[in-house]
Amino acid sequence: MRASDAERERIAEALREAVAEGRLTMEEFEERLEAAYKARTHGELEPLVRDLPAPGGGAAVSLVKSPGAAAAPAAADWASRIGGGPVSGPVAIGVMGGFQRKGTWTVPRRFTAFAFWGGGEIDLREARFEDGEVVIRCIAIMGGMQVTVPPDLDVHVGGVGIMGGFDDKASGAGTPGSPRVRVTGFAFWGGVGVDRKATKAERRRLREARHRELE
C-alpha cells in the first residue's frame, strides 16, 4: 500500500523518540529518517521501526493513526520560510578555491553553483526559499560540491556525472507544505553529493530530550 505524508511523519516521530531514549545512535537515526522520508510504500516504512517500541511504551509503532494522535506538522511551519526577505545572489563560483552558502540565507528561484578545480558547500537546513519551487544547478569540473538538505524537504535530484559522480540518493518527498527543490547539473571529472541531515537545532533538541530521560 502507498504511504501517506502523515504516515511518513508518524514513523519519523517514532525515530525521534527512539534516539532521544538512546535506542538508536545519531547515525542510525539519520539513516532511518532519510529512508522514512523517501519511502513510497508501507513495506518500505515498516522495517524502519520493526525493532522499536511505540512512543510511550507500546508494543510496536503502527502506521494506523490512533484516536487523539498528533497530526503531521502543518504546512504553515514551512510557509514561514517561503518568500519574504532579501534574496541571495543567483550564482556561486569556486575557481581554484571554494564557496559556501549556509545558515539563514535565502535560496533564489534559480541558483547556479560552479566549481572548477575547487569546491563548494550548499546547506539548505536553515535556509529560506524565495519560492515554493526552486532549482539549484550544480556544475563541478575537476572539483566537488556538497549539497546538504533537511530530512523533511521535498528534493528531486537529476544531475549527470561524466567520468565523475552525481549522487541522487537524497531524492524523496518532504512533509506537507515543504518547498520543492530540484537539483540538476553535471559533474565532469568531479562529483556532486546531496545528503539529508538533521539541523543543529534538531540534534540539540534530541540530545536534551535524551538527557531528560536519563535524569
Side-chain angles (χ1 to χ4, degrees), residues 138-140 157-167 183-188 190-192:
C138 299
I139 302 170
V157 183
V160 176
I162 302 173
M163 290 187 288
F166 208 111
D167 188 1
V183 182
T184 68
F186 67 91
F188 178 71
V192 175

Side-chain angles (χ1 to χ4, degrees), residues 104-165:
T104 55
W105 67 297
T106 300
V107 187
R109 290 185 182 87
R110 298 290 183 272
F111 179 71
T112 299
F114 177 79
F116 176 73
W117 278 13
E121 179 183 359
I122 302 171
D123 193 332
L124 305 183
R125 290 176 293 177
E126 299 176 11
R128 297 180 57 86
F129 301 86
E130 182 184 14
D131 199 359
E133 181 164 350
V134 302
V135 176
I136 297 177
R137 188 167 178 244
C138 299
I139 302 170
I141 301 175
M142 292 184 286
M145 209 173 297
Q146 181 64 45
V147 182
T148 305
V149 303
D152 50 354
L153 185 67
D154 188 0
V155 180
H156 301 271
V157 183
V160 176
I162 302 173
M163 290 187 288

Side-chain angles (χ1 to χ4, degrees), residues 64-101:
V64 179
K65 188 174 181 180
S66 59
D77 295 341
W78 274 115
S80 64
R81 294 174 59 181
I82 300 175
V87 178
S88 302
V91 178
I93 299 175
V95 177
M96 300 181 69
F99 68 84
Q100 285 187 333
R101 293 292 186 276

